[in-house]
Amino acid sequence: MRMPVGELFNPRSIALVGATDKSGWSISTLTNLRTHGFRGPVHLVNPRGGVVHGEQAHRSLSDIPGQVDLAYVMVPTTAVLPVLREGAKLGIRHYVILTAGFGETGPGGAALEAEIVGFARENDLTVLGPNGNGFVNAAAGITPYGLPIPAPLLRGPVGVVLQSGALASSVLGFAQARNVGISLLTSMGNESLVTVTDVIDYLVDDPATKAIALFLESVRDPAVFSRAARRALLAGKPIVALKIGRSRLASRTAQAHTGALVGDDNVIDAAFRQLGVVRVRSLEDLVITAGLLAEVGPLPGPRIGVVTPSGGASEIIADRAEDEGLELPAFAPETVARLREIVPAFGTVQNPLDVTGYVLIDRTLLGRALEAVTADPGVDAVMLLSDLPRVAPPDPEPVYATFSASAKRVADAPMPVVVVSNTLTDVTEFGRDVQRKTGFPYVAGGIEHGVHAIGAAVRWGQAYRAAVEAAGARVPAGAVASAPAAETRTGVWAEHRAAALLSSAGIPVVPGELVYDEESAVAAAVGFGYPVVLKAAAEGLGHKSDIGGVRLGLSGARDVERAYREVVAAAAAAGLDRVGALVQPQRGGGVELLAGVVRDPSWGLTLAVGLGGIWVEALRDTALRVLPVDAAEVRRALDELRGTALLRGARGTEPADLDAVAEVVARVAALAESLGDDLESLEINPLLVRGSHVEALDALVTWRG
C-alpha cells in the first residue's frame, strides 16, 4: 500500500524529542533547521526540561503549546514507543526516528520495531526510520537531518533516496562540489513504514524534482518498486540507481541451464533495463548522471558530435564513446566546409573536433565551432568539453562575457548540448558564481563520468520513448493452454511430457514417439524417416546427455536397436525406473538457441534467451527479461546478444526471421506465466532457428513441488 509522505516532508512545526547538549545528532539537527531556511517553530523536548542548545526545553510533547506537525525522535530505543503513544494522543501524525537498536540488531530489536509498526498502523501514523538520519527538503528549506549539511545547500532538480545513513552526507558533499542542486534527500533507515518506493512516488509528483537518484542495498518489494519505476518513466523523470551487492549466487535449479545463467544481479540488471532505471557503479556516477539527466532530459539518439580544445581529450572521448555504444559520425560536407573557415589551418576538421589551443588567443573559437557542429544534420546531440574557471582573475569581466556568449549558443542550439569537464575536480565558488550569473549549463564532472552519463541519457531516452509509445498498448503473446489438470506437478517432467505441454500452448515442437522396446523404436524411426535421434526417457531424467542417454545420426534399424539398448542401460544404471526411449527425426542446419524461464526468489519468473545447444554455459551469451514480456520486448532482447550476427546470416548463412523467433519465445514466456506458482523452471534447449522455421528440439520442465 502506498504511504503518502507529502505532509511528512513539509511540516510547519517540528519537535526535537530527546534534544540534549551531549548529542551531536541533536546539535546538528537544530543547526540545520536554523541555518537552512525553516521558518516554522522548532520545539526542544527533554524530560529534564531546562535550557538545551541555549533555548528553553519542554519536558514532554504534551507541554508544547500549539500543533506539532513532525516529531523528530532521538530518545533511547525503549523510549521510542512511549513517545509515539503520547504524540498520537496529541494528534501528531508524522515522525522521523533517528534512534538505532531495532531490526538491524537482531530478534530483540526486531520485536521492538514490530511493536512500533503495529502501533503506527493502528493509529495511521507516518514513520521514517528508525535508524535513519532524517531528510533534507532543500526545495522548501526544511532540514530535520542529523548530520552536518555542507554549505552551501544547493537547491535543484535532483531527488536523492538512500538506504544508507552514513553515505548521505558524502552524497550531499559531492553534489555540492559538482554544483548539483537537490530537491529532497532522504536517509531511509530501516524502512519500517515509509519505504523507498513511497519516496519515489512523492518525487514523481514533486514539481521541484526532474531526476531521482537511488542508493539501494536491496529492492524489498520488486512488484511495488516496478510500479513506482514505471510511473517515473512515463512521467519523464529518470531514475538513476546505484544498487550494491553484485555477487552472483548459485544456480536456481540444478536441472535447468537457465538457472546457472540467472544470478541475482543479472536479474536486477534486466529488470532495471525494462523499467528504464539507469544503473551506475559509483557514487560519483550516481550524482553526475542524475545531474545531467535533470538538466538535459532524454537525448534523442546515439550520434554525438564532439567539440574540444584538446587532441588528447578527443582520443579519450572516442574510446569512451565506443564503450558506451555512442556513435561519432563524420561531419556532413557543409559542416566540414564551415569548420574549415573557423578552425586554424594547422587543425584537422573531424569528429571529435579539436579546435586546438588557439582558444587561448581567440575566445570565440570554441563557441563558433559549437554553433557549426550543432547545425550538422547527422548528429543527435553535441558534447562540448569545457571547464568552469577555478580562480578569479584580477579582471573577471572577460570571463563572464565569454561564458555568457557560450551559454547563449548552448541555449539557442537546435539540439541538446552536454558540457563535460576534462577531469573530476570540485567546482569552486568563483566557478559557481560564473555559472549562476551567466546561465552556463550544468557541467558533468570529468570525461570518464561525463561520457558515461551521456550514454545513460541516450539509453534512458530510448526507454522513455518506447514506454510512452507502448503505454496501454501491450498485446498478449497469444492464448496459452495450461498443463493438463489431471497431471501432478512435481519433480522433473521428462522430455515427452514437457513437449506435450509446449505443443498444447501452440509452441512448435519436433515430433517424437515414446517407445519401450527395440521393435517399436525401429518402427518409429521408419515412420519419421532416417536419420533419427534416440534419447533415454524416464520420469525425473533431466539432462540426458550427462548420463550418456542420447544417440544422434542413427541411419538404420541396427543403429536404432543398438542405441535403444545403450540409452536404456545408461538410464537404468543411473537408478531410474520404467525407462524407455524417445525417437525423433534428426534436424540440422540453422542456429540453436536457448529459451528458458526460471523463478527468481525476488523478481519472480525471469526469461533467458541466448545461444543454445552445447554452448549455453560456455559462452553465456544471454539476455534476460523479467516477465511479463511481449514479442517486441523479446525482439529487443535478441538484439542484445553478442551472437546476433549468427541470427542475421553471418558469412552467407540463411538469416533467421527474428520476428518469428520473438513470437515463439513470447509464447514460451506466456505459458510459463500461465502455470502459476507451481513452476520452478521451463526450458527449451535447443530451440532450432532456420529462416522462418522455429522448432523446439528438447524441453525440460521442473516443478517446485
Side-chain angles (χ1 to χ4, degrees):
M1 183 179 69
R2 178 180 174 185
M3 178 168 286
V5 292
E7 292 183 2
L8 169 73
F9 293 138
N10 292 276
R12 292 166 296 179
S13 60
I14 298 174
L16 304 186
V17 185
T20 170
D21 289 329
K22 299 178 181 179
S23 168
W25 306 100
S26 181
I27 294 168
S28 293
T29 306
L30 181 62
T31 301
N32 291 335
L33 288 167
R34 295 293 192 215
T35 59
H36 293 296
F38 182 62
R39 300 182 182 278
V42 179
H43 307 283
L44 306 183
V45 178
N46 183 296
R48 294 186 177 87
V51 175
V52 177
H53 306 326
E55 302 180 18
Q56 184 63 46
H58 303 279
R59 293 182 180 274
S60 69
L61 287 170
S62 301
D63 290 344
I64 297 174
Q67 178 63 38
V68 172
D69 293 330
L70 173 68
Y72 189 90
V73 182
M74 301 175 284
V75 300
T77 305
T78 55
V80 171
L81 186 54
V83 170
L84 266 63
R85 287 184 175 135
E86 181 186 14
K89 290 179 182 178
L90 298 170
I92 302 173
R93 320 292 341 145
H94 308 294
Y95 298 82
V96 171
I97 302 178
L98 177 82
T99 309
F102 290 94
E104 76 279 6
T105 63
L112 290 173
E113 187 170 321
E115 281 191 81
I116 288 173
V117 170
F119 179 81
R121 285 178 174 158
E122 288 173 9
N123 292 273
D124 195 26
L125 306 182
T126 303
V127 176
L128 177 64
N131 188 32
N133 291 329
F135 65 87
V136 177
N137 186 346
I142 304 171
T143 54
Y145 181 72
L147 293 172
I149 297 175
L153 175 58
L154 302 178
R155 294 163 173 82
V158 177
V160 183
V161 190
L162 302 111
Q163 286 180 327
S164 169
L167 289 179
S169 292
S170 297
V171 170
L172 270 175
F174 184 70
Q176 184 264 350
R178 287 307 312 164
N179 214 30
V180 176
I182 66 167
S183 56
L184 174 77
L185 178 143
T186 57
S187 170
M188 298 305 303
N190 292 0
E191 294 184 68
S192 61
L193 274 94
V194 174
T195 66
V196 165
T197 50
D198 293 326
V199 184
I200 292 173
D201 276 323
Y202 170 81
L203 294 172
V204 170
D205 297 329
D206 176 29
T209 301
K210 293 183 179 179
I212 301 167
L214 307 178
F215 175 85
L216 299 175
E217 294 173 342
S218 65
V219 179
R220 302 189 181 205
D221 189 332
V224 176
F225 179 87
S226 297
R227 177 193 54 75
R230 289 190 188 98
R231 279 194 72 226
L233 182 61
L234 289 172
K237 294 197 175 183
I239 294 179
V240 182
L242 172 56
K243 168 68 178 69
I244 61 172
R246 292 189 285 119
S247 60
R248 182 169 47 201
L249 300 182
S251 167
R252 297 288 170 224
T253 168
Q255 291 290 344
H257 287 292
T258 310
L261 299 170
V262 180
D264 280 359
D265 200 63
N266 294 335
V267 177
I268 289 169
D269 263 348
F272 280 11
R273 281 196 302 271
Q274 287 173 255
L275 296 168
V277 175
V278 175
R279 191 173 186 187
V280 296
R281 304 296 188 190
S282 69
L283 289 172
E284 292 85 355
D285 280 328
L286 179 67
V287 173
I288 290 168
T289 303
L292 176 67
L293 281 163
E295 174 78 17
V296 304
L299 293 181
R303 302 173 304 170
I304 308 298
V306 179
V307 179
T308 85
S310 165
S314 297
E315 294 171 1
I316 297 172
I317 292 167
D319 288 344
R320 286 294 290 119
E322 184 172 306
D323 296 339
E324 295 293 333
L326 300 172
E327 303 170 22
L328 303 181
F331 292 134
E334 57 269 30
T335 306
V336 172
R338 186 175 175 187
L339 287 171
R340 281 179 175 156
E341 297 176 356
I342 298 171
V343 176
F346 53 84
T348 302
V349 174
Q350 61 184 19
N351 189 19
L353 175 67
D354 170 18
V355 299
T356 77
Y358 202 73
V359 291
L360 297 176
I361 298 173
D362 181 356
R363 292 184 178 273
T364 70
L365 177 56
L366 197 66
R368 289 185 294 127
L370 173 67
E371 200 170 64
V373 174
T374 56
D376 191 294
V379 299
D380 301 308
V382 173
M383 172 182 167
L384 173 65
L385 198 68
S386 178
D387 282 284
L388 288 167
R390 295 184 57 79
V391 180
D395 179 11
E397 288 309 313
V399 175
Y400 286 110
T402 298
F403 277 86
S404 291
S406 295
K408 186 176 187 311
R409 284 192 168 99
V410 170
D412 292 344
M415 63 181 62
V417 176
V418 180
V419 184
V420 177
S421 63
N422 281 279
T423 58
L424 183 58
T425 54
D426 290 358
V427 177
T428 65
E429 190 54 44
F430 177 61
R432 188 177 291 113
D433 187 62
V434 168
Q435 196 166 27
R436 181 174 58 250
K437 289 182 178 178
T438 65
F440 196 73
Y442 169 73
V443 179
I447 294 172
E448 169 69 24
H449 301 288
V451 176
H452 176 77
I454 292 172
V458 170
R459 292 187 291 274
W460 185 80
Q462 293 167 342
Y464 171 62
R465 289 185 290 273
V468 170
E469 183 179 343
R474 292 281 185 187
V475 180
V480 176
S482 60
E487 297 196 80
T488 303
R489 297 179 177 183
T490 58
V492 178
W493 274 12
E495 182 182 346
H496 66 283
R497 296 179 73 188
L501 176 60
L502 294 174
S503 183
S504 72
I507 297 164
V509 179
V510 64
E513 185 172 334
L514 183 64
V515 298
Y516 287 95
D517 56 61
E518 295 174 29
E519 183 179 348
S520 299
V522 172
V526 171
F528 289 129
Y530 292 106
V532 296
V533 175
L534 196 143
K535 306 173 182 176
E539 290 304 321
L541 177 57
H543 296 307
K544 298 171 284 294
S545 58
D546 290 349
I547 63 165
V550 179
R551 296 294 183 273
L552 306 175
L554 306 177
S555 57
R558 289 187 178 180
D559 290 343
V560 172
E561 290 168 350
R562 182 174 62 254
Y564 180 87
R565 292 192 297 270
E566 291 173 351
V567 301
V568 168
L576 297 168
D577 298 324
R578 187 162 169 71
V579 179
L582 185 64
V583 183
Q584 298 170 328
Q586 179 152 326
R587 303 299 198 212
V591 178
E592 293 183 348
L593 297 180
L594 168 135
V597 176
V598 68
R599 187 177 299 279
D600 180 84
S602 297
W603 293 87
L605 294 176
T606 303
L607 169 72
V609 59
L611 293 183
I614 63 173
W615 303 109
V616 174
E617 293 181 37
L619 297 180
R620 305 185 73 86
D621 185 13
T622 310
L624 303 183
R625 292 294 187 274
V626 176
L627 301 192
V629 296
D630 59 9
E633 188 65 43
V634 176
R635 184 72 167 76
R636 286 190 284 272
L638 292 170
D639 288 339
E640 293 174 9
L641 300 175
R642 297 191 304 276
T644 190
L646 294 174
L647 294 168
R648 298 184 185 279
R651 294 185 176 272
T653 59
E654 182 181 12
D657 183 343
L658 293 178
D659 290 333
V661 177
E663 286 290 344
V664 171
V665 175
R667 282 185 173 272
V668 173
L671 170 62
E673 280 196 287
S674 77
L675 297 174
D677 293 338
D678 293 341
L679 182 70
E680 177 63 37
S681 67
L682 184 160
E683 179 177 281
I684 299 172
N685 183 32
L687 179 70
L688 179 66
V689 180
R690 190 173 58 243
S692 60
H693 178 81
V694 183
E695 187 178 45
L697 301 189
D698 200 346
L700 181 69
V701 174
T702 305
W703 302 102
R704 298 177 79 183

